[in-house]
Amino acid sequence: MTRKEALIWTFYGAVLILLFLASSTDLLIKEREDPVYPISVVIEDSTDEEYANFRKGLDQAAMEFNVDLSFITLYEKDQADQQMEMLRREQQDGAAAVILAPVDEEQMDQALNEEPLSIPLVLWNAETLSDRASALVSVDCAAMGRKLAEQVMERHGTEETVLLLASGDNSVRRRFQAGIEERLSQAGCRIRLADGQEREDFRQALEALLSPAEETAVVVALDQKSLRETADLLKESPRYRPYVKGLYGRGTSIPILNALDQGWISGLMVTDGFSAGYLCVKQAVGAAADRLEETETVLDIYYIQREDLRDARYEKMLYPIE
């Protein structure tokens, strides 16, 4: 081999080595690393049972959008001051954005007016705070209440007393209740309201149907706790069943869906919690990266009964798989 041929082969060898390095390592060309977005989720409840599908949507989006997700619940339910402290803490700890389901929208509005967040805020189901946030994902709770009232009247007419049961107080419950009462009042229905915190409170509300005068009623639960507890009472205590002509409410937690399947709940208003969680994370990433496309998303609402649980249209929404 001549000296010239040796140089040529050496050159080709060096080119091949460079091509290999360029294609298989980052020694010559650094691969672009996608940024990791630390995003915090602060919700209003002390447990996450009612947020199961929402959480699945959060986790799915976190994997797709390269998010380091922190899911934070209150130590005690309905503590608005504690929730604002958590927002400040997450901001100080370096969160790129915060997803918030507020305990009390009015208190949160006042707190944010006094001390605005310096990071993007994405709201879940907080209509009156929309001007404080980068993006809003919500359900029209008043429309949900009106639709449920219409379903109750379609099945039971307008002569039955409607007993509203509630546990706790927040803006979502108030909007839902307002929608129900609006439709029922327009139709001339008799409405009674009973507030409680524990199962015994709901038991007393049912006992009031039996005594002093036996009375029947359609029961509508304004929140998931009162719905779940009342369904359990009907299951455990046969004496109440003849007086409760139907039990209705809202929610997609597994205990509530099981009660619907077993016949203790007559009908439910539901929405797509998985999509809600997914969209909240997507919007938070968009806001953190300054490429937010949509600022407001209102999710669809559905009324379902026992037979709908096996319907393909609802099965994926109610029992999502990540």
Side-chain angles (χ1 to χ4, degrees), residues 143-298:
M144 179 181 281
R146 291 190 293 269
K147 186 169 183 177
L148 182 57
E150 290 164 0
Q151 293 293 334
V152 167
M153 290 186 292
E154 181 178 330
R155 183 166 180 178
H156 302 280
T158 59
E159 297 303 315
E160 287 284 357
T161 297
V162 178
L163 174 61
L164 303 180
L165 297 182
S167 168
D169 182 35
N170 57 46
S171 54
V172 171
R173 171 231 157 148
R174 290 194 293 269
R175 290 197 293 269
F176 183 59
Q177 179 179 347
I180 292 172
E181 291 180 336
E182 177 188 337
R183 279 290 187 269
L184 295 178
S185 298
Q186 288 173 351
C189 295
R190 296 185 300 275
I191 305 171
R192 286 165 48 188
L193 174 65
D195 279 292
Q197 292 295 330
E198 304 300 330
R199 181 173 298 188
E200 283 306 308
D201 298 321
F202 306 120
R203 187 188 300 276
Q204 290 176 14
L206 297 182
E207 288 284 349
L209 296 176
L210 280 65
S211 177
E214 294 186 353
E215 179 185 5
T216 61
V218 178
V219 178
V220 177
L222 301 178
D223 57 86
Q224 297 196 48
K225 179 179 180 180
S226 58
L227 178 60
R228 187 176 63 250
E229 297 285 6
T230 305
D232 287 345
L233 283 171
L234 292 176
K235 182 178 179 180
E236 297 167 5
S237 306
R239 64 193 301 263
Y240 299 131
R241 298 173 197 168
Y243 303 95
V244 176
K245 296 303 180 181
L247 174 61
Y248 299 84
R250 60 183 176 89
T252 58
S253 71
I254 294 301
I256 286 176
L257 294 176
N258 287 342
L260 177 66
D261 193 26
Q262 294 163 6
W264 306 116
I265 296 174
S266 305
L268 281 176
M269 295 302 305
V270 299
T271 192
D272 190 346
F274 181 91
S275 292
Y278 185 94
L279 288 170
C280 282
V281 171
K282 182 179 180 181
Q283 299 289 57
V285 170
D290 199 24
R291 56 171 187 265
L292 193 62
E293 297 177 0
E294 296 182 8
T295 59
E296 185 170 354
T297 304
V298 180

Side-chain angles (χ1 to χ4, degrees), residues 39-43 54 58 69 83 87 95-102 108 112 117-127 129-138 275-289 292-297:
I39 292 175
S40 300
V41 184
V42 181
I43 64 171
F54 185 77
L58 292 173
L69 195 66
Q83 194 174 50
L87 288 179
V98 173
I99 298 167
L100 170 68
M108 185 60 65
L112 291 173
L117 293 181
S118 60
I119 57 176
L121 178 65
V122 175
L123 294 172
W124 162 233
N125 232 4
E127 297 173 7
L129 276 172
S130 58
D131 60 338
R132 298 285 183 190
S134 302
L136 171 68
V137 180
S138 67
S275 292
Y278 185 94
L279 288 170
C280 282
V281 171
K282 182 179 180 181
Q283 299 289 57
V285 170
L292 193 62
E293 297 177 0
E294 296 182 8
T295 59
E296 185 170 354
T297 304

